[in-house]
Amino acid sequence: MKLYKKEGNVLQIISFPTENVEKGDYLLVEDADAGKALIAQVIDVQFAAVPGVLEELLRTLPDGGEPLQGEDIDPMEIAPHITYIQDASLLICKIRATLENEMLSPSSSWLPSRSQSTIKKLSIPMLMKLANVDGKLPIILGGTKDYSLLTIDAS
Amino acid sequence: MVIEQYTITNKYNFPQPNIDTILPQRFLEQSLNSLKQVQFHQPFQLNQAVQQFNTTEIYQSNLQLKPKAIPLKPDHQETIIAAIDTSTIKIGETTTGIIVAVRGAATWRQNHAYKYTRLGPFIFHITEDNKNQLFNTLEHAYFCTTYGSMHQASPNLMQMPARLASLLERWLQTMLAKTINHGVLLFDGSLTAGTIDTPTQRLKEILNYARRSNTTVLAFSKATILRANGVLITEQLPNRDPPYLLETTGMQSKPPQTLLGDVYVARLNKANIAFRLDIDRETDFTQQVDAVQKLLGNDLYTQSYPETLRLSHILCTFTANEVLAIKHFITRKHGIQIINRPDMHKLLFGPFGHKGEIYS
């Protein structure tokens, strides 16, 4: 994943097909040099505006709407790279917090490095741990989509 | 050199699959070999303007256009219409050379359906050091038996992409000329030989193969510089309904160039657009006109241009998405790091700093 844009408290992140990110997932955008990280939640998944995609789609349907029949001899196996780029998605994410010195704050006023930041998925248990909601009196609210329990702390 | 992980299929889906694969196999080997010569983490410059290559030709001529048009009537007798085109694009530069991609497409219309075989892309890292070896290996891979003694001038670095594409194009043309019987074969460009990309003997041989298979070669030029009485020949259209051909006389080529086709102006439908059309001059006039009429009866037209040829062009042209994918491929597979050098045109001239784009 690569950081593309930040507008207000919304991040746009480019994601590739193998990364399997869905709406609702939490991401950790970590800038090691700044010693900070943003926690953002995916609120929409869109197609990335890859140049040339329209031409690519159009040329597969030139025969009266019927797919053109043919054979592609691609000895260098470039085709998987083409679909990899073509299927890239744009993740629209809302910044939920900044993580600094293992403390969460609601700030989204700093800009992480576009070239140096690393982005990874944040599991719900890890998020709960960061938010200090893994207390001694957990109340189970239900399950999350990565099969962990969602709890709140009653202590 | 043995390439174990990559192989070319033995048979292509051409109309009649009886194809040898020596040239594509050499293309692949030379491609991989050239990419291995890029030093690890060698800086690689993004190309600033997508450039596709073309060649021009110059004639000495007393060219005249016969005023009487040759009327055409579509001949619907089932005939295979096939077309070939190739494309090349510069992907970027390294400190020692250029990285280019080459691809070819053969398209044909049979039983009212279009089919295609697309070959490539082949990616080459061309340097001053490897260009001669690379070109000669490819040249000899397919054409050595006939042209072994005929050494062409060494292409310079910037000519290499067009020369590689031309080699692939001539190979595809040869394959279709050998395999299609009683058909019509469409080439992109003219039938002018003796140019750096088209040795006379090679084009003659392709036309011979086609003639032996009772196939007629028609070459359409998208643009021409030919003028009669100072006016472009494609802009002197008579006031009559298409389809028709206009015959030219007095064409002379500048040696060593040779014209292997009779030159016509073809207006194939009501779109007010005409093209220069070269037809193999070794075929008699009746067969030449018959071939165009078979083309009319068996292909579709967009802006007076055969759909088969248009599809070949579309299929082999590189899209921006593919260029990105090729960059991704060379970075991942060959460890070439991409850097963005400043574009001097944009740096100096701002919004006026566009370099021209040329498409083949």
Side-chain angles (χ1 to χ4, degrees), chain A residues 56 59 71-73 75 81, chain B residues 6 13 118 120 314 317 319 322:
Chain A
E56 199 73 52
R59 76 174 165 190
E71 183 187 17
D72 278 299
I73 317 289
H81 296 266
Chain B
Y6 298 94
N13 190 21
R118 194 158 50 161
I314 288 171
T317 298
T319 62
E322 289 174 323

Side-chain angles (χ1 to χ4, degrees), chain B residues 70-303:
Chain B
I70 303 161
L72 298 169
K73 194 177 165 194
D75 178 351
H76 296 284
Q77 180 193 339
E78 185 77 24
T79 306
I80 296 179
I81 309 292
I84 300 108
D85 201 3
T86 54
S87 183
T88 175
I89 194 163
K90 194 171 104 181
I91 303 294
E93 289 179 15
T94 65
T95 48
T96 53
I98 53 174
I99 294 200
V100 300
V102 180
R103 181 162 62 189
T107 313
W108 60 96
R109 184 171 164 90
Q110 196 173 12
N111 302 324
H112 307 287
Y114 290 102
K115 294 178 180 171
Y116 73 89
T117 292
R118 194 158 50 161
L119 190 54
F122 298 99
I123 301 159
F124 296 94
H125 178 229
I126 308 170
T127 65
E128 286 294 341
D129 290 338
N130 75 4
K131 68 181 169 98
N132 288 342
Q133 178 264 333
L134 194 154
F135 188 74
N136 287 333
T137 306
L138 295 175
E139 177 87 6
H140 285 228
Y142 190 69
F143 301 107
C144 65
T145 50
T146 320
Y147 307 105
S149 59
M150 196 178 129
H151 283 285
Q152 294 182 50
S154 283
N156 72 39
L157 203 60
M158 299 318 288
Q159 289 172 333
M160 276 296 287
R163 300 288 295 274
L164 294 176
S166 178
L167 261 179
L168 185 61
E169 186 161 339
R170 298 294 171 223
W171 180 81
L172 282 166
Q173 287 170 349
T174 306
M175 290 306 108
L176 284 186
K178 280 180 174 177
T179 52
I180 291 176
N181 289 312
H182 300 277
V184 174
L185 199 47
L186 306 178
F187 290 0
D188 181 39
S190 70
L191 291 182
T192 305
T195 62
I196 206 156
D197 286 328
T198 313
T200 306
Q201 199 53 36
R202 186 165 303 158
L203 186 55
K204 273 187 177 172
E205 197 161 284
I206 294 170
L207 295 174
N208 271 333
Y209 285 131
R211 250 176 265 126
R212 270 183 238 154
S213 316
N214 298 305
T215 289
T216 308
V217 172
L218 309 181
F220 280 84
S221 301
K222 289 188 284 293
T224 182
I225 53 167
L226 293 182
R227 291 169 192 269
N229 300 320
V231 181
L232 284 174
I233 57 170
T234 48
E235 291 182 5
Q236 302 184 45
L237 304 179
N239 189 17
R240 61 159 297 155
D241 283 341
Y244 58 78
L245 292 177
L246 297 173
E247 208 174 346
T248 64
T249 57
M251 279 282 291
Q252 287 177 320
S253 53
K254 183 180 178 182
Q257 293 185 5
T258 323
L259 285 168
L260 298 183
D262 288 330
V263 178
Y264 295 88
V265 172
R267 188 179 168 204
L268 301 182
N269 71 4
K270 289 199 170 177
N272 199 23
I273 297 172
F275 294 96
R276 171 185 165 179
L277 170 63
D278 291 24
I279 309 178
D280 179 11
R281 65 169 32 162
E282 297 282 318
T283 55
D284 60 48
F285 176 75
T286 318
Q287 197 184 332
Q288 290 182 349
V289 175
D290 282 351
V292 184
Q293 295 188 140
K294 281 178 182 164
L295 173 68
L296 278 170
N298 287 275
D299 205 355
L300 303 173
Y301 299 90
T302 309
Q303 305 289 342

